[in-house]
C-alpha cells in the first residue's frame, strides 16, 4: 500500500491545520486497518486524537512505564542502578534483545539492564526488571500518575498469557501523558528524567517515526512490535516540540511502519 500522497509537497503540511491534514490522511487508509493516534504540541495548543482512548496491544511500548517505575524506585532508594546483576541462564527470554546471547553468569549493572530494555527492546532485561520492581508496583505507579487504562498484564513472551487474553495494553493518549510528565520532570527527579530522555534518544529502531525524517531529527521514543501490532511513542525535539503516539493493527508490519512514518512526517512538517 502507498500512503505518500500527502507527502509529495512538503509545504502542504504547513499550509493546512494539522488536525484537518491528519484527518484527511487517515481517511485514505482502509477500514480494515486500525490506527490509534495522539498528537500534542508541548508548548502550544495544537492537538489531534484519533481512537486515542482505545487499548491496542502495547508490545514493547509497555517498557516505557516500566522505566518510569524503575526511576521512581531509584528515587525512593529501593533500587540501585549501579548494583551488579548476575545474569542467570534461566532468565534468558527469546524475541528482541541481546542479553539472550550473553554467557551465563555475565555481570552487568542495573543501569545497563534498564538501558538495554529501552534501546534494544531487550525482553530478557524487561523480565528481570519486572521481577525486581514488581508487576503490581508498575501498575500502581501508572494509576497514581493518572494512567487509568494502560496495564502491564504479563511478562515478555508469555504466550500462554496471550492465549488466555492477558495482553499488555496502553492507550495513545496515556502514553503521551506519561511522556509529558517525563518531559516536564514531573516524575522521579529532574536528573532521573534527564537520564530517561537520554535513554529514549538511544532507541535503535529506525523503521517507524524516523522512516521519512532527516537523520538529524532528535526523537526520544520507544517502539513496539508484535506480528499483530506496530507502535511508536515519543517526544520530538523540533522547532515546536511535540508528543506523538501511534499504534497500527490490521496490516503487514511494513505497511504499519509506513503509516507510522508518514504520520510522523506530517506532524514534523507542521511543527518544524
Amino acid at each position: 500500500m502507498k500512503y505518500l500522497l500527502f507527502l509529495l509537497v512538503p509545504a502542504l503540511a504547513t499550509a493546512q491545520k494539522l488536525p484537518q491534514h491528519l484527518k484527511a490522511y487517515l481517511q485514505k487508509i482502509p477500514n480494515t486497518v486500525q490506527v490509534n493516534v495522539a498528537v500534542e504540541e508541548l508548548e502550544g495548543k495544537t492537538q489531534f486524537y484519533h481512537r486515542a482512548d482505545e487499548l491496542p496491544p502495547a508490545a514493547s511500548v509497555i517498557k516505557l512505564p516500566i522505566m518510569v517505575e524503575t526511576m521512581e524506585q531509584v528515587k525512593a532508594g529501593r533500587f540501585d542502578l549501579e548494583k551488579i546483576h548476575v545474569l542467570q541462564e534461566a532468565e534468558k527470554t527469546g524475541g528482541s534483545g541481546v542479553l539472550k546471547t550473553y554467557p551465563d553468569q555475565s555481570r552487568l549493572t542495573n543501569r545497563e539492564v534498564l538501558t538495554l530494555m529501552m534501546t534494544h527492546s531487550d525482553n530478557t532485561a524487561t523480565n528481570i526488571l519486572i521481577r525486581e520492581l514488581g508487576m503490581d508496583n508498575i501498575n500502581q505507579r501508572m494509576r497514581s500518575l493518572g494512567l487509568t487504562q494502560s496495564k502491564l498484564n504479563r511478562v515478555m513472551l508469555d504466550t500462554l498469557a496471550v492465549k488466555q487474553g492477558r495482553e499488555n495494553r496502553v492507550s495513545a493518549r496515556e502514553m503521551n501523558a506519561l511522556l509529558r510528565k517525563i518531559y516536564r520532570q514531573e516524575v522521579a527527579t529532574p536528573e532521573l528524567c534527564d537520564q530517561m530522555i537520554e535513554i529514549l534518544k538511544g532507541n535503535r529502531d529506525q523503521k517507524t517515526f524516523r522512516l521519512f525524517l532527516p537523520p538529524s531529527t532528535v526523537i526520544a521514543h520507544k517502539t513496539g512490535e508484535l506480528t499483530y501490532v506496530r507502535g511508536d511513542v515519543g517526544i520530538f525535539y523540533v522547532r515546536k516540540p511535540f508528543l506523538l503516539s501511534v499504534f497500527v493493527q490490521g496490516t503487514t508490519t511494513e505497511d504499519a511502519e509506513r503509516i507510522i512514518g508518514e504520520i510522523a512526517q506530517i506532524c514534523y512538517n507542521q511543527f518544524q
Side-chain angles (χ1 to χ4, degrees):
M1 290 184 236
K2 301 294 184 182
Y3 304 109
L4 291 173
L5 174 64
F6 296 92
L7 308 180
L8 297 176
V9 182
L12 183 57
T14 56
Q16 296 180 327
K17 291 182 179 180
L18 182 65
Q20 283 78 9
H21 194 191
L22 285 172
K23 187 178 296 185
Y25 171 82
L26 291 167
Q27 287 174 347
K28 297 294 183 179
I29 296 176
N31 293 332
T32 54
V33 180
Q34 177 181 326
V35 183
N36 310 99
V37 182
V39 187
E40 299 167 22
E41 186 179 3
L42 277 161
E43 309 299 338
K45 297 182 179 180
T46 301
Q47 55 187 218
F48 174 82
Y49 303 102
H50 177 76
R51 304 177 71 167
D53 295 311
E54 294 179 354
L55 294 170
S60 289
V61 171
I62 196 66
K63 295 166 186 178
L64 178 64
I66 295 173
M67 178 175 68
V68 171
E69 174 60 15
T70 301
M71 294 310 202
E72 288 284 5
Q73 291 201 19
V74 170
K75 175 186 175 181
R78 297 197 303 270
F79 192 79
D80 183 357
L81 289 175
E82 307 313 321
K83 182 180 178 182
I84 296 296
H85 179 87
V86 180
L87 181 66
Q88 306 297 314
E89 193 67 32
E91 293 178 315
K92 295 181 181 180
T93 305
S96 58
V98 296
L99 278 183
K100 63 188 178 185
T101 68
Y102 283 30
D104 184 34
Q105 302 297 307
S106 292
R107 297 168 61 84
L108 59 163
T109 65
N110 284 331
R111 184 184 299 278
E112 291 172 312
V113 174
L114 173 64
T115 302
L116 286 172
M117 177 180 75
M118 302 306 291
T119 60
H120 290 70
S121 208
D122 197 293
N123 287 333
T124 298
T126 306
N127 288 352
I128 289 170
L129 287 174
I130 291 174
R131 285 191 292 269
E132 291 283 341
L133 303 170
M135 188 177 295
D136 288 343
N137 290 331
I138 295 165
N139 284 319
Q140 288 172 14
R141 183 69 60 189
M142 283 193 276
R143 299 291 89 75
S144 72
L145 295 174
L147 282 63
T148 60
Q149 294 181 291
S150 301
K151 189 174 183 181
L152 172 67
N153 288 306
R154 63 170 178 83
V155 297
M156 301 301 104
L157 288 193
D158 187 343
T159 54
L160 177 60
V162 174
K163 290 179 181 178
Q164 295 174 342
R166 289 184 287 115
E167 183 62 273
N168 299 322
R169 295 189 180 274
V170 298
S171 75
R173 191 189 300 267
E174 289 191 346
M175 290 302 97
N176 270 15
L178 189 56
L179 288 165
R180 180 185 290 103
K181 288 182 180 295
I182 298 172
Y183 178 85
R184 294 182 175 172
Q185 302 183 334
E186 295 173 351
V187 292
T189 69
E191 180 183 0
L192 292 173
C193 283
D194 287 343
Q195 292 180 32
M196 285 191 277
I197 294 294
E198 289 307 308
I199 291 172
L200 288 167
K201 287 178 180 178
N203 190 337
R204 299 294 185 90
D205 189 345
Q206 309 291 307
K207 296 180 180 179
T208 45
F209 281 165
R210 294 187 175 279
L211 197 56
F212 303 115
L213 299 184
S216 60
T217 307
V218 179
I219 313 172
H221 65 127
K222 183 67 195 82
T223 47
E225 178 183 355
L226 292 168
T227 56
Y228 45 90
V229 65
R230 194 71 159 101
D232 204 348
V233 305
I235 306 166
F236 286 67
Y237 290 85
V238 294
R239 185 172 61 86
K240 296 181 179 180
F242 68 95
L243 304 169
L244 176 60
S245 292
V246 186
F247 296 88
V248 180
Q249 301 174 78
T251 187
T252 65
T253 297
E254 181 181 1
D255 278 325
E257 291 169 348
R258 188 188 309 278
I259 292 169
I260 295 171
E262 290 170 1
I263 290 172
Q265 190 180 44
I266 290 169
C267 297
Y268 174 89
N269 287 343
Q270 173 71 31
F271 294 115
Q272 180 66 7

